[in-house]
Amino acid sequence: MTKNRLVIVDYGAGNLRSVVNAVRHVGAEPLVSSVGADIAQASAVILPGVGAAACVMQGLQERGLKDALLDFIVRDRPFLGICLGLQVLFETTDEGGGCECLGVVAGGVKKFTSGLKVPHMGWNQVRKHGAHPIFAGIDDRADFYFVHSYYSMPGDPMIVVGETDYGVSFCSALARGNLVATQFHPEKSGPNGLKIYTNFLKMAGMVC
């Protein structure tokens, strides 16, 4: 394994540039890669996500990245999923008529049906559930930036470390071992978002 190699996964879509810039801002130099071998050799992996879950899954499958990601996560190595990078961790999503996802987290993804404007877009509060290193130095109910039409429903409520209200209370951050994922976009969330990236890199032992 290459020491201190942070890989940002390129599956053919996603807000890669803003994630790369945010990571560089907090002191890491990432490798953007669509090669499974790079994931296998990484010290930590970030899976960003925009667009549609089915397109994410197709992009991962076509590039041979799905199995590499599954192996990385199963080995409990430092992983951060962002927005759709959170949603595709689940077993299924209702998006686009339904599709199977990575299945590393029990539960599914549902569309907002509260009559509120969809997508849920803009700043909203995240209530912390207990203390977790990903939120170190961040106040409870801090604001983060969201853009999404679907929300996750984890089968295990114990993995929920952040929750947000938008018609319903939904999981806006989850964690299990070295796997962390956020529904919000840290790279669009100002100083608190940059702190999320710093905290993840600290969890991965890549910054002090």
Side-chain angles (χ1 to χ4, degrees), residues 29-159:
E29 184 58 43
L31 171 67
V32 177
S33 178
S34 58
V35 179
D38 289 332
I39 293 173
Q41 296 173 6
S43 302
V45 165
I46 296 177
L47 178 64
V50 296
C55 293
V56 176
M57 293 305 301
Q58 181 179 356
L60 293 175
Q61 189 71 51
E62 290 178 348
R63 290 164 177 78
L65 299 173
K66 179 181 175 181
D67 288 343
L69 278 174
L70 287 172
D71 182 69
F72 190 91
I73 293 169
V74 166
R75 292 174 182 268
D76 195 29
R77 294 158 71 184
F79 174 93
L80 174 63
I82 301 166
C83 195
L84 271 173
L86 175 147
Q87 294 184 7
V88 298
L89 295 174
F90 286 83
E91 295 166 308
T92 60
T93 177
D94 287 350
E95 185 177 5
C99 77
E100 294 185 0
C101 298
L102 292 173
V104 296
V105 175
V109 177
K110 306 293 183 182
K111 188 172 184 178
F112 287 111
T113 58
S114 61
L116 297 173
K117 184 178 179 181
V118 176
H120 169 218
M121 180 182 297
W123 297 87
N124 205 342
Q125 293 182 347
V126 173
R127 298 190 306 276
K128 296 194 286 186
H129 283 202
H132 191 275
I134 198 65
F135 285 120
I138 298 173
D139 291 338
D140 188 25
R141 299 180 183 271
D143 288 325
F144 292 90
Y145 191 83
F146 292 81
V147 183
H148 62 120
S149 300
Y150 293 78
Y151 65 96
S152 62
M153 299 177 64
D156 180 6
M158 297 301 294
I159 70 171

